[in-house]
């Protein structure tokens, strides 16, 4: 961030003739008494949230949303006669953080004195989100390289150990040594767990060959619904579907089934400790974005807001027996299909959404 004071000889801008409504980014003009002289629609949406009842000029406090300390930088800019350059600002809108880039210039009076400032706001949230995605994919790629290098070296001795243990287990059973037999059962179970972990790492290490085809989402979910129902009954969970007509998607059938089942299992596990709950699977079409949306909603304890940014991090888990690879793998697989995963949680219950491009009907 660069800050320039009025002593810097910054070239001023006149408010007269400033076609701010035609400017696609936010523009706000303020005087030195913290009054908003004018603002275009983009600025109102970014700072005020709603233009209803706004009449210019108006006081800054009545213009911006009443969020504590969120606009300290704006008041400081006016009071200290500071011009900002590339100042990054973060504001909350509808529970989501928006990242803005702020630049400001002095407004000159008739005698050339500083009479106010004009502020330009550019929403760079997409750029920040893209940067985070790139960083996340780089981490997944690093984990994948490590996995590819060691997975086979781990699996080879595990196969030998598993084979000898199975022989030992059979012999102990034949000799009636039940206590020792139970030990081998535990060891074989742990070996299977390690094998499963290695298999998950291999999913991150290399993209699988996709068998893409046109898929009907309703038909795909209906196919796996008996499995979901039986698992829900085991955990005393009420399961329902709300499937709306949506366009087909172009995806790998088995891969998409694997993703949905993994996410559904996560939802069921989240509610199993609560002795029951509700599981809803819903499909819808976001026509504006051309995306088919599959929501998996549970009534579990939810995810704390400070953890939401970390749930796709490799090896991060809130489960005692979790590996922290389930969601990163699902995200990787959905990315391979050209889609994305979104997670929302408001303190009670969680919704995981799979969004895939819909095909034109």
């Amino acid at each position: 961030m660069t800050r320039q004071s009025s002593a810097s000889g910054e070239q001023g801008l006149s408010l007269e003739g400033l076609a701010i409504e035609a400017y696609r980014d936010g523009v706000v003009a303020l005087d030195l008494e913290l009054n908003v002289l004018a603002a275009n629609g983009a600025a109102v949406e970014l700072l005020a949230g709603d233009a209803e009842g706004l009449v210019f000029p108006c006081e800054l406090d009545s213009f911006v949303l009443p969020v504590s300390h969120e606009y300290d930088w704006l008041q400081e800019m006016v009071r200290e006669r500071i011009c900002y350059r590339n100042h990054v600002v973060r504001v909350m809108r509808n529970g989501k953080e928006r990242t803005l880039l702020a630049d400001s210039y002095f407004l000159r009076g008739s005698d050339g004195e500083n009479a106010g400032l004009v502020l330009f706001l550019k929403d760079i949230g997409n750029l920040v989100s893209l940067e985070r995605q790139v960083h996340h994919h780089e981490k997944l790629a690093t984990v994948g390289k490590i996995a590819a290098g060691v997975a086979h070296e781990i699996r080879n001795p595990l196969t030998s150990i598993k084979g000898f243990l199975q022989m030992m287990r059979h012999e102990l059973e034949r000799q009636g040594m039940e206590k020792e037999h139970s030990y081998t059962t535990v060891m074989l179970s742990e070996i299977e767990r390690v094998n499963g972990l290695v298999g998950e790492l291999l999913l991150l290490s290399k993209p699988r060959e996709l068998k893409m085809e046109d898929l009907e989402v309703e038909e795909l979910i209906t196919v796996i619904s008996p499995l979901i129902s039986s698992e829900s009954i085991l955990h005393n969970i009420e399961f329902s579907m709300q499937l709306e007509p949506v366009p087909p998607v172009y995806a790998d059938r088995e891969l998409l089934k694997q993703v949905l089942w993994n996410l559904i299992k996560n939802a069921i596990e989240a509610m199993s400790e609560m002795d029951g709950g509700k599981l809803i699977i819903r499909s819808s079409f976001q026509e504006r974005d051309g995306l088919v949306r599959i929501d998996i909603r549970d009534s579990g304890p939810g995810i704390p807001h400070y953890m939401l940014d970390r749930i796709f991090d490799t090896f991060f888990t809130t489960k005692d027996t979790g590996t922290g690879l389930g969601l990163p793998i699902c995200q990787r697989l959905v990315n391979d299909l050209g889609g994305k995963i979104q997670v929302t949680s408001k303190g009670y219950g969680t919704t995981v959404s799979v969004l895939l491009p819909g095909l034109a009907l």
Side-chain angles (χ1 to χ4, degrees):
M1 178 189 75
T2 303
R3 309 200 313 179
Q4 298 182 4
S5 68
S6 57
S8 67
E10 179 66 35
Q11 182 179 358
L13 294 178
S14 171
L15 183 61
E16 183 180 355
L18 190 63
I20 60 175
E21 198 57 49
Y23 196 67
R24 67 177 183 176
D25 295 324
V27 183
V28 183
L30 307 105
D31 65 17
L32 300 181
E33 303 300 322
L34 291 175
N35 294 312
V36 180
L37 304 177
N40 68 350
V44 170
E45 192 272 331
L46 291 171
L47 297 181
D50 187 0
E52 186 177 350
L54 277 178
V55 178
F56 299 111
C58 65
E59 294 182 358
L60 179 61
D61 287 344
S62 64
F63 175 72
V64 298
L65 287 172
V67 181
S68 177
H69 304 299
E70 192 171 284
Y71 298 103
D72 287 352
W73 62 275
L74 190 52
Q75 295 176 356
E76 178 190 21
M77 180 188 74
V78 177
R79 286 172 179 157
E80 298 189 14
R81 315 294 195 264
I82 297 168
C83 278
Y84 284 115
R85 293 293 180 273
N86 297 326
H87 177 45
V88 177
V89 181
R90 291 179 174 84
V91 296
M92 296 298 295
R93 289 293 171 273
N94 300 320
K96 294 183 179 180
E97 186 179 75
R98 303 272 295 267
T99 304
L100 314 177
L101 197 65
D103 289 282
S104 55
Y105 301 85
F106 288 110
L107 288 170
R108 306 298 187 190
S110 57
D111 296 329
E113 77 282 6
N114 290 336
L117 295 107
V118 62
L119 176 69
F120 294 87
L121 296 167
K122 186 176 185 65
D123 190 344
I124 59 170
N126 290 337
L127 296 176
V128 174
S129 176
L130 182 60
E131 183 181 357
R132 288 176 180 170
Q133 289 180 26
V134 170
H135 180 62
H136 179 69
H137 290 160
E138 287 175 348
K139 289 202 301 186
L140 286 182
T142 301
V143 171
K145 289 178 182 178
I146 295 172
V150 302
H152 295 294
E153 296 301 322
I154 294 175
R155 271 192 165 168
N156 288 339
L158 277 180
T159 301
S160 299
I161 294 170
K162 181 180 178 181
F164 284 116
L165 267 176
Q166 287 173 330
M167 293 172 57
M168 185 185 299
R169 183 169 182 265
H170 177 73
E171 183 63 24
L172 292 172
E173 184 179 20
R174 189 180 67 81
Q175 296 183 18
M177 302 174 69
E178 295 182 2
K179 185 177 181 180
E180 289 78 5
H181 179 269
S182 67
Y183 293 158
T184 59
T185 300
V186 173
M187 286 188 283
L188 284 169
S189 174
E190 292 303 305
I191 287 175
E192 285 301 322
R193 186 163 176 252
V194 175
N195 257 328
L197 177 60
V198 172
E200 289 181 340
L201 285 170
L202 285 173
L203 280 175
L204 287 175
S205 67
K206 57 182 179 180
R208 56 171 284 175
E209 184 178 348
L210 301 178
K211 298 179 180 178
M212 305 293 281
E213 58 180 304
D214 294 359
L215 297 177
E216 295 290 343
V217 169
E218 183 176 358
E219 182 266 336
L220 186 72
I221 296 175
T222 302
V223 166
I224 62 174
S225 62
L227 186 60
I228 304 170
S229 296
S230 60
E231 193 74 14
S232 298
I233 292 171
L234 286 174
H235 294 87
N236 192 31
I237 289 168
E238 181 183 334
F239 166 56
S240 63
M241 298 188 296
Q242 300 173 3
L243 305 180
E244 299 178 5
V246 297
V249 297
Y250 189 59
D252 183 302
R253 178 181 296 272
E254 295 306 315
L255 189 149
L256 186 53
K257 282 169 61 176
Q258 178 184 347
V259 168
L260 294 178
W261 177 239
N262 286 349
L263 296 177
I264 290 164
K265 277 175 49 180
N266 278 352
I268 292 174
E269 289 173 5
M271 293 182 285
S272 60
E273 297 180 2
M274 301 177 61
D275 192 27
K278 291 184 178 181
L279 173 67
I280 301 174
I281 298 179
R282 180 175 180 269
S283 64
S284 59
F285 182 54
Q286 297 182 182
E287 189 171 355
R288 185 181 65 177
D289 304 315
L291 295 175
V292 171
R293 184 186 189 102
I294 306 170
D295 292 330
I296 300 166
R297 184 180 304 167
D298 67 63
S299 61
I303 303 171
H305 68 90
Y306 57 86
M307 288 186 180
L308 279 175
D309 290 339
R310 300 189 58 196
I311 58 175
F312 290 108
D313 289 352
T314 313
F315 301 118
F316 176 80
T317 181
T318 58
K319 302 177 185 176
D320 293 337
T321 58
T323 62
L325 289 173
L327 280 177
I329 288 173
C330 287
Q331 187 183 54
R332 164 68 184 272
L333 298 179
V334 172
N335 285 341
D336 288 346
L337 295 176
K340 58 184 177 180
I341 294 181
Q342 294 177 346
V343 179
T344 56
S345 184
K346 296 183 179 180
Y348 178 74
T350 301
T351 300
V352 181
S353 304
V354 177
L355 295 101
L356 297 167
L359 298 176
L361 294 175

